[in-house]
Amino acid sequence: MKQLPILLILLLFVSGITFAQKDFQGMAVYESKTSTSEFKSRLQGNKDITPEMQKMIEERMKKMFEKTYILHFNMQSSIYKEEEKLDTPGQQQGGFRMMSNMMGAGGTYYKNIKDKKYTVDREFMGKEFLVKDTLTNYKWQMSGETREIGGYMCYKATAVVPVSKTDFKNFRLKKEDTKEKEKSTEETTKKTSFLDEVDIPKEITLTAWYTTEIPVSQGPEGYWGLPGLILEVNDGRTTILCSKLVMNPKEKADIKAPTNGKEISQKDYDETVLKKMEEFREMNQGQGGKRMEIRMGR
């Protein structure tokens, strides 16, 4: 029994050496799922949509809102990218392809926690952008709650963050009676925009579960800043959960920032997206607008 503390010290020492190695690397697989119940209820209430069309739309929405991502990380940086899959012909066309791009599909999300910078390549409406900016400084509130994820003891942390106008995952469709009431007022005051069709919360609460057994301040997408790898994070509508972890994989990933695309700040990119969305909406006004609403999953 007297040897037990010494054994524990040795184990911790060996573990510390493993994570301190310059060539240390880890790989995590994450499953991302976004709630679509609101969209489904709106579809069910649309008399213009046949049961066959509704089934097709729901299947495409599932592919758009349920994705698998791979995170390669070391002590300083990481790359986060959607798992490559062969798409069925016609599966990602028209409004669904554009919506998928707006949801952040594709591209490589690189973050450097030492420099507190990130770089992500985005494709939007046929153009490539290279978004470079400063990582969000999450003000995490630690909790005493714990749970096990994949055999790792995890701790709960929460943070309240503002919502970007291009964070389409957190948009809420307005109720029809609210839209009609606002429409009658706006017709005599100002021109409407596509943002008038949705409710955008000012802020959301993030809930993250991290493990100190992997002492790297990394996580999926742009999440970071905790004393351990984030294995699960939820923003109210989307849950990203780690399903597989590999420490020091045999095949090392090249953890470098993407370089393709027009360099732009996050603020300028958001403004570009909103402007293009407005132009797209105006272009489809009066010519198949109702059809576009159906194709966009409304």
Side-chain angles (χ1 to χ4, degrees):
M1 292 297 291
K2 291 183 179 179
Q3 294 179 347
L4 184 58
I6 298 176
L7 179 60
L8 287 174
I9 291 172
L10 287 173
L11 286 173
L12 290 171
F13 178 71
V14 172
S15 177
I17 292 175
T18 301
F19 284 98
Q21 291 175 348
K22 289 184 178 181
D23 61 346
F24 162 75
Q25 211 178 95
M27 187 276 289
V29 178
Y30 289 89
E31 308 295 334
S32 174
K33 291 185 178 182
T34 299
S35 173
T36 59
S37 57
E38 184 182 1
F39 292 94
K40 288 181 179 179
S41 62
R42 189 65 65 89
L43 285 173
Q44 293 170 354
N46 193 324
K47 297 180 181 180
D48 297 323
I49 301 179
T50 64
E52 292 76 17
M53 188 182 295
Q54 179 177 328
K55 183 179 179 181
M56 178 196 71
I57 292 174
E58 289 183 357
E59 287 178 352
R60 291 190 177 185
M61 286 174 62
K62 182 177 181 180
K63 292 181 181 296
M64 185 170 66
F65 288 101
E66 295 183 11
K67 295 181 177 295
T68 300
Y69 294 87
I70 308 296
L71 176 74
H72 292 281
F73 61 91
N74 53 37
M75 298 301 292
Q76 179 174 307
S77 55
S78 66
I79 52 173
Y80 183 71
K81 190 173 183 178
E82 184 181 346
E83 183 181 50
E84 294 183 1
K85 294 180 180 179
L86 292 176
D87 287 339
T88 303
Q91 174 177 294
Q92 290 289 336
Q93 293 182 354
F96 279 98
R97 182 186 178 91
M98 185 173 68
M99 281 293 289
S100 184
N101 287 338
M102 289 191 302
M103 295 295 176
T108 299
Y109 198 116
Y110 169 87
K111 61 179 180 285
N112 186 308
I113 60 174
K114 181 180 179 181
D115 299 334
K116 297 183 180 180
K117 301 286 185 180
Y118 71 88
T119 302
V120 56
D121 53 347
R122 297 289 194 205
E123 181 186 344
F124 184 70
M125 298 185 77
K127 294 184 178 181
E128 292 185 352
F129 296 91
L130 191 65
V131 184
K132 290 186 174 184
D133 222 310
T134 304
L135 284 169
T136 300
N137 182 24
Y138 296 106
K139 296 181 180 179
W140 295 109
Q141 298 294 318
M142 304 303 186
S143 167
E145 292 185 54
T146 61
R147 58 178 281 216
E148 191 175 286
I149 299 178
Y152 291 89
M153 178 59 68
C154 294
Y155 301 86
K156 182 180 178 181
T158 59
V160 177
V161 295
V163 176
S164 166
K165 287 186 177 181
T166 57
D167 183 7
F168 297 95
K169 295 192 296 294
N170 279 292
F171 282 13
R172 274 74 168 169
L173 295 176
K174 287 186 176 179
K175 295 181 180 179
E176 293 299 328
D177 55 346
T178 303
K179 287 167 60 178
E180 289 300 320
K181 183 178 179 180
E182 292 181 353
K183 183 178 178 181
S184 61
T185 303
E186 290 169 346
E187 282 179 345
T188 58
T189 57
K190 64 176 183 178
K191 181 181 176 182
T192 60
S193 72
F194 83 97
L195 289 177
D196 295 320
E197 302 291 326
V198 296
D199 281 321
I200 308 174
K202 292 183 179 180
E203 57 186 26
I204 54 175
T205 299
L206 301 175
T207 300
W209 293 89
Y210 66 96
T211 177
T212 55
E213 294 177 43
I214 306 175
V216 294
S217 187
Q218 293 283 359
E221 207 167 280
Y223 302 114
W224 73 292
L226 287 166
L229 181 66
I230 298 174
L231 297 188
E232 180 179 324
V233 63
N234 177 278
D235 65 3
R237 296 197 64 174
T238 299
T239 298
I240 304 176
L241 175 64
C242 180
S243 59
K244 181 181 179 181
L245 265 173
V246 179
M247 295 295 104
N248 287 311
K250 292 181 179 179
E251 294 185 12
K252 302 293 184 181
D254 192 12
I255 303 179
K256 292 182 178 179
T259 57
N260 294 330
K262 176 185 176 182
E263 191 169 324
I264 192 172
S265 68
Q266 186 68 59
K267 181 177 180 294
D268 290 341
Y269 174 75
D270 291 347
E271 290 176 354
T272 299
V273 170
L274 293 175
K275 181 181 178 181
K276 291 297 181 182
M277 282 297 297
E278 192 56 50
E279 291 176 358
F280 186 81
R281 180 179 185 271
E282 291 177 356
M283 182 178 67
N284 287 277
Q285 283 277 341
Q287 46 179 323
K290 192 170 187 178
R291 184 180 172 208
M292 272 307 303
E293 288 185 357
I294 293 174
R295 292 181 67 193
M296 294 293 283
R298 292 275 309 283

